[in-house]
Amino acid sequence: MRDIQNIVILTGAGVSAESGVATFRGPGGLWEGHRVEDVCTPKALERQPELVHRFYDERRAKLSTVRPNAAHEALARLDAEWTGGLLLVTQNVDDLHERAGSTRMLHMHGELKSALCAACGMRRPWDAALPPICPTCQAPTLRPDIVFFGEMPYQMDAIEAALANADLFVSIGTSGAVYPAAGFVRTARHYGAQTLELNLDPSEGSIWFDDSRMGPAGTLVPAWVEEVLRG
Ligand code: APR
């Protein structure tokens, strides 16, 4: 890709769909089986903590039964071979990008395999079901390290700095339904980046992309990475 130095990639649930991880919206999506306000808001955690913990404990346990797919692997190849700037911002809370080998990345919506204490702010890797007692401060305030609706996503400063420097912004497998992630394409365009969308169906933000390619991530992403690395 001529004069492309710095790339920012945003991924959503669609990049993990071919690994068997449920997306949120669309047929069989997680939000079909659960109301967002019942499992993904601070109020829900207060009102019915056991339902919220069960929702995330089940998704955390499922991680050991799924594997990275060709899209995760292609993005890890780009991470290893791309000599310019690269930041992979994922909305996903699974660990499939890391397991494929991506390193220049961050989870803006938190991670299933991390626990957060609402009292002392402790965050640490966590594999099993979450007990309510924080091992650091002993308060009964341990929660999934997931950014709930109404809470501020992680590392927004780093994301905004990367978007301001991006020559290319690529959105993969996201419906463009949730902000601030859904607005990143407009920020990237504002700073003069080229924009590309790789998605199974047109997203709510397709109109903002210079180029929109429809199809499964497992096919489109390896082809796109090959194109970028071949220059
Ligand atoms: N390949 C590429 N794209 C796919 C595939 C696939 N195999 N399967 C599904 N998609 C696309 C769908 O067309 C859809 O546009 O992935 C997108 C999934 O959209 P959502 O389920 O809304 O997931 P996402 O965009 O990641 O949701 C954003 O919403 O609920 C919150 O915090 C949650 O991070 C999540 C955020």
Side-chain angles (χ1 to χ4, degrees), residues 18 38 42-43 48 55 66 81 89 167 176 212 221:
E18 289 159 84
D38 289 345
K43 238 189 173 15
Q48 37 194 14
F55 179 66
V66 297
E81 297 180 22
V89 179
D167 305 303
S212 233
V221 177

Side-chain angles (χ1 to χ4, degrees), residues 12-14 18 23-25 31 91 109 173-175 178 199-201 217:
E18 289 159 84
T23 60
F24 292 94
R25 297 165 185 84
W31 294 152
Q91 299 174 91
H109 288 166
T174 180
S175 59
V178 174
N199 210 57
L200 193 61
D201 319 299

Side-chain angles (χ1 to χ4, degrees), residues 102-130:
S102 284
T103 55
R104 295 185 273 179
M105 66 168 288
L106 62 87
H107 285 269
M108 65 180 287
H109 288 166
E111 299 172 65
L112 282 171
K113 296 183 92 169
S114 173
L116 168 69
C117 173
C120 71
M122 178 282 304
R123 289 179 71 196
R124 73 167 66 184
W126 207 282
D127 245 338
L130 277 187

Side-chain angles (χ1 to χ4, degrees), residues 36-226:
V36 168
E37 50 276 29
D38 289 345
V39 290
C40 195
T41 62
K43 238 189 173 15
L45 184 62
E46 215 180 286
R47 267 206 315 259
Q48 37 194 14
E50 59 299 325
L51 175 64
V52 174
H53 276 288
R54 194 165 59 245
F55 179 66
Y56 291 99
D57 287 350
E58 284 168 2
R59 290 172 65 199
R60 188 178 307 106
K62 182 149 171 30
L63 285 182
S64 58
T65 68
V66 297
R67 296 179 28 72
N69 64 55
H72 297 108
E73 277 151 16
L75 291 173
R77 177 187 169 210
L78 183 70
D79 190 299
E81 297 180 22
W82 181 253
T83 52
L86 177 68
L87 178 63
L88 168 60
V89 179
T90 188
Q91 299 174 91
N92 300 340
V93 293
D94 63 53
D95 59 347
L96 294 175
H97 282 306
E98 295 89 325
R99 284 166 57 190
S102 284
T103 55
R104 295 185 273 179
M105 66 168 288
L106 62 87
H107 285 269
M108 65 180 287
H109 288 166
E111 299 172 65
L112 282 171
K113 296 183 92 169
S114 173
L116 168 69
C117 173
C120 71
M122 178 282 304
R123 289 179 71 196
R124 73 167 66 184
W126 207 282
D127 245 338
L130 277 187
I133 306 297
C134 170
T136 304
C137 71
Q138 311 310 322
T141 45
L142 206 60
R143 56 168 273 190
D145 187 10
I146 300 289
V147 176
F148 289 148
F149 282 89
E151 294 181 329
M152 180 55 99
Y154 285 126
Q155 302 191 59
M156 283 304 294
D157 294 348
I159 296 168
E160 271 146 19
L163 290 170
N165 269 324
D167 305 303
L168 175 62
F169 174 74
V170 187
S171 175
I172 305 171
T174 180
S175 59
V178 174
Y179 285 80
F184 290 170
V185 60
R186 268 168 275 173
T187 305
R189 287 176 70 90
H190 169 76
Y191 287 104
Q194 295 173 54
T195 54
L196 167 65
E197 178 180 52
L198 306 176
N199 210 57
L200 193 61
D201 319 299
S203 72
E204 294 187 26
S206 291
I207 48 153
W208 297 102
F209 288 88
D210 301 317
D211 183 8
S212 233
R213 300 178 195 171
M214 298 293 116
T219 309
L220 292 185
V221 177
W224 169 70
V225 166
E226 181 58 29

